[in-house]
Amino acid sequence: MSVPARVSATVAAVDLLRRLADRNGSLMIHQSGGCCDGSSPMCFPEGEFLVGDRDVLLGVLDLRLDVGRTLPDPPSGAHSVPVWISGSQFEVWKHTCLVLDVVPGRGAGFSLETPEGVRFLARGRVFTEQENAALAKSAVVLGKEWESGVRPGASRVPLVVADAEAGCAVPQWPDRDDETGAGPDAVAGEVGPPASAW
């Protein structure tokens, strides 16, 4: 099994990032752990947000890509959008793929999309046991390593998904016929866990 991506983005998010990059040059995203805009992904011109030594690089979004595509070479310049999270927050969310999306409304922070009348939203998809096992064997890049020039290679898995539903599909749960004799709807109020949204 190939190592899954820790971050992906919807088509809407990639389109917005492209527009912002056209105006502002190279970008970066930091998944906020609180303060101004709650737990929102914040978009800045690259280097305008100081990445800490122990911040974790979730991945680098490639603005050259469309749904389902990969390229053999990593992105650079304005095509490259590194996505960061604090080390302590990463420990809580390392079992979850962050799916960057866009929704209507204005955030309260300093993120570049604020004047657009939309805001970035982080959705989450919980990794499977097999994905977690593969990720456990793969080292992350820390802020101090990035500062010294360490860069990840090109992603071998697609990073752009059509929409939030494609990126955060709710798992299908088996029928409960064997327990209740009445199918999956027999247990009142019981549903499978929804895709989380940060």
Side-chain angles (χ1 to χ4, degrees):
M1 156 178 242
S2 60
V3 178
R6 290 191 179 276
V7 64
S8 62
T10 64
V11 169
V14 170
D15 286 345
L16 178 56
L17 287 169
R18 287 174 181 149
R19 293 196 310 271
L20 294 173
D22 285 345
R23 283 200 303 264
N24 300 281
S26 296
L27 305 172
M28 63 182 292
I29 291 175
H30 194 278
Q31 173 57 46
S32 170
C35 187
C36 303
D37 213 13
S39 295
S40 295
M42 306 291 281
C43 182
F44 303 98
E46 186 177 23
E48 196 165 291
F49 181 91
L50 184 61
V51 173
D53 285 350
R54 291 188 286 179
D55 283 3
V56 174
L57 179 71
L58 292 176
V60 179
L61 296 175
D62 187 340
L63 301 187
R64 301 172 298 171
L65 299 179
D66 292 315
V67 175
R69 288 193 57 218
T70 61
L71 288 171
D73 58 315
S76 61
H79 295 296
S80 171
V81 183
V83 181
W84 294 94
I85 192 169
S86 73
S88 59
Q89 193 173 3
F90 174 75
E91 285 304 312
V92 175
W93 291 101
K94 64 185 176 183
H95 63 284
T96 306
C97 176
L98 184 150
V99 182
L100 186 69
D101 196 11
V102 175
V103 293
R106 291 176 58 123
F110 305 103
S111 194
L112 285 175
E113 82 280 3
T114 300
E116 302 286 320
V118 294
R119 62 185 180 93
F120 287 115
L121 177 72
R123 301 182 188 274
R125 178 186 69 79
V126 177
F127 291 123
T128 65
E129 287 183 30
Q130 294 83 3
E131 289 174 321
N132 276 318
L135 286 163
K137 299 174 187 173
S138 176
V140 296
V141 175
L142 300 177
K144 61 184 176 182
E145 296 164 337
W146 180 274
E147 186 64 26
S148 69
V150 174
R151 299 292 184 270
S155 176
R156 295 183 180 182
V157 296
L159 299 180
V160 182
V161 295
D163 53 30
E165 185 176 345
C168 301
V170 176
Q172 299 300 309
W173 299 97
D175 288 347
R176 300 302 229 50
D177 288 342
D178 57 330
E179 295 178 23
T180 65
D185 297 325
V187 181
E190 184 175 316
V191 295
S196 61
W198 290 355

